[in-house]
Amino acid sequence: MKIVIVGASGNIGTALVRALKAEATGAVGSADHNLVGVARRPPAGPPYDPPYDGVVWHAMDVADPTATRELTPLFDGADAVVNLAWGFQPARDVDYLRRVGVGGLAAVLSAATSAGVPHLVHMSSVGAYSRAQRGHKVDESWPTAGIASLPYSVHKAAAEQLLDEHDATGIGPAVCRFRPGLVMQRAAGSSLLRYGAPLLFPSWGLDLIPVLPLDRSFAVPVVHARDVAAAVVAAVARRATGAFNLAAASPLTAQIIADTLRARLVSVPWRLLRTVVAAGWELRLERLDPGWIDLAFAVPLLDTARAAAILGWKPVMDASAAFREVVSGMRHGEALPSPALRPRGVGAELRGLLNSGAVTRRRLP
C-alpha cells in the first residue's frame, strides 16, 4: 500500500512510522508499504536515522497557499492519506496555527479528492469535544464545539466541522477521524517539557518538586502513542470510517501525577491555578496558554467501545504507566532526530530566544 502521512515527523507520526514499518517487515503481520512522509521540518537526511529511514520525505508547510497544489502529486496513487499535521507553537500566532490545523486539513481534503485517494484518516482530539460534567464519559456522538478559551480546541472543532461538510457531499475520500486523549510516549519527553515548562526550568527540576498544587478532581483521558498508531494501522487496513475515541481504560488523575513526581498532592481549586498560569502567560514567563487549564477541567472522559468493536482495538498501556514513561523521558532528555522531537536544553532555548525571539511568537526554520 502507498500511505502518505502528513505530519509524519511528530509525536504520533513517529509512532505510526514505526508501526507501519514493523507491519511491513512482518513483525506484526504481512504487508508491503510504500511510506511517504510530509512535514514542515523533516528529519535531517538523507541518509535518515531510525526510525525515519525507509520513508520518502517531502518538506512542506500545509499552511502555505500552495499546499493543495504541492500535495496533489504526492497523493497520486495513494491507498490512504493520514493527516496528523497540527501546530502548538508559536502559541501567540493564532492565525498561523489555524492555517495549519484547519487550512491544512482543507488542503489535504482538496488534494486527496483531486488525486482520487479512496481513504483519509484525520487525527482530531478529545479537545474537539464540548464541555462535559467533570468525570463524565462520552461516546463519539457528544457535540464537538470545543472550548472557546483555547485556540487549539476551537481549531480542532472547526476541523471537525470541515470534515462534516466534506462527508455530506459524498465526494472524495471516505474519512475516518480519531479523537485521542493526551498522547504520550517516552521519546516525546523533551518536546512535551519544551511546550509546557517555563524556559529556565531544567529537566532535573522534576526531581525537586516537593508538592503538587492541583485540584484533586483533575482527571483527563490519556493514551500511549503506540496504541494510537495501532488504531490507525487497523483503520487503514479496514478502510474504517466515522469517529473513534482513543484512551487508556482509566484516566490520568492528580494522585497519579503526584505519585509519579514523588510529590505531596495539595488540592488547589483549578480556577486559582488558572489565575496563576494566566499571570505567567501575560508576563511572558511561561509558554502554557491558560486555556489549557480550562480544557483540562472541561473535557470528558472517553468511551472507546466503538474502536474495540470495529477496529478490534484495545489499549496496551494504562494511564499510570504511560505517564511514568513520559516523565522518565522528560527527566532523561529523551528525544529523536526529528525537529519536532528534538532535545530540549536550557542553553539552546536561551540562544533561540536571543537570536530569534520567543518560541511562542516565532516559527522555527
Side-chain angles (χ1 to χ4, degrees):
M1 294 179 70
K2 177 180 177 180
I3 303 172
V4 184
I5 307 169
V6 183
S9 63
N11 185 18
I12 299 174
T14 296
L16 179 57
V17 165
R18 280 179 165 148
L20 289 169
K21 286 170 60 180
E23 187 182 47
T25 57
V28 294
S30 59
D32 182 16
H33 295 316
N34 170 17
L35 301 182
V36 178
V38 178
R40 184 170 69 86
R41 296 176 294 153
Y48 298 101
D49 293 329
Y52 304 109
D53 55 326
V55 178
V56 178
W57 289 96
H58 295 271
M60 183 186 309
D61 189 342
V62 295
D64 289 345
T66 61
T68 299
R69 185 172 69 248
E70 294 181 53
L71 287 170
T72 301
L74 298 182
F75 290 176
D76 185 46
D79 297 282
V81 168
V82 181
N83 181 46
L84 307 175
W86 208 265
F88 294 94
Q89 295 290 356
R92 296 182 191 274
D93 190 348
V94 176
D95 178 66
Y96 174 72
L97 296 183
R98 184 179 181 87
R99 295 203 313 273
V100 173
V102 185
L105 172 59
V108 167
L109 282 170
S110 179
T113 301
S114 297
V117 176
H119 190 213
L120 171 67
V121 177
H122 173 72
M123 193 59 58
S124 184
S125 168
V126 65
Y129 279 125
S130 302
R131 185 179 298 273
Q133 183 178 355
R134 193 81 55 83
H136 182 57
K137 185 175 285 191
V138 306
D139 64 16
E140 292 81 0
S141 65
W142 191 256
T144 53
I147 305 301
S149 58
L150 180 65
Y152 168 86
S153 181
V154 172
H155 299 165
K156 284 294 187 184
E160 289 269 359
Q161 179 63 36
L162 195 62
L163 291 176
D164 290 342
E165 293 168 0
H166 167 82
D167 288 347
T169 68
I171 301 171
V175 174
C176 170
R177 59 186 99 174
F178 285 107
R179 297 170 186 156
L182 180 62
V183 181
M184 299 180 169
Q185 64 174 318
R186 182 180 177 87
S190 283
S191 64
L192 289 174
L193 197 60
R194 185 167 54 249
Y195 288 136
L199 172 65
L200 298 179
F201 183 83
S203 58
W204 48 261
L206 291 168
D207 294 321
L208 304 177
I209 299 174
V211 296
L212 177 69
L214 185 61
D215 195 312
R216 194 175 294 276
S217 68
F218 176 89
V220 297
V222 300
V223 62
H224 196 278
R226 284 196 301 272
D227 287 328
V228 176
V232 175
V233 171
V236 169
R238 293 165 171 77
R239 286 202 176 171
T241 59
F244 295 92
N245 290 337
L246 300 176
S250 57
L252 178 65
T253 64
Q255 192 61 58
I256 290 174
I257 297 173
D259 291 345
T260 303
L261 296 176
R262 300 187 289 272
R264 183 168 63 89
L265 177 62
V266 176
S267 190
V268 173
W270 73 270
R271 293 186 185 278
L272 176 58
L273 177 61
R274 189 199 193 280
T275 299
V276 174
V277 172
W281 172 258
E282 292 300 326
L283 293 172
R284 308 298 200 266
L285 297 177
E286 44 91 356
R287 302 168 175 180
L288 188 67
D289 186 318
W292 286 102
I293 306 299
D294 297 334
L295 185 71
F297 288 93
V299 294
L301 302 182
L302 299 177
D303 182 334
T304 61
R306 187 169 191 267
I310 296 177
L311 303 178
W313 182 80
K314 182 178 180 180
V316 173
M317 188 82 74
D318 66 23
S320 180
F323 187 69
R324 286 197 307 270
E325 182 180 300
V326 80
V327 170
S328 177
M330 291 177 180
R331 284 183 171 126
H332 294 93
E334 289 293 324
L336 284 172
S338 157
L341 299 178
R342 68 190 184 278
R344 174 192 185 266
V346 173
E349 295 292 303
L350 281 173
R351 286 192 296 273
L353 175 64
L354 294 174
N355 294 333
S356 304
V359 72
T360 54
R361 289 191 175 277
R362 73 178 190 266
R363 274 182 274 164
L364 297 176

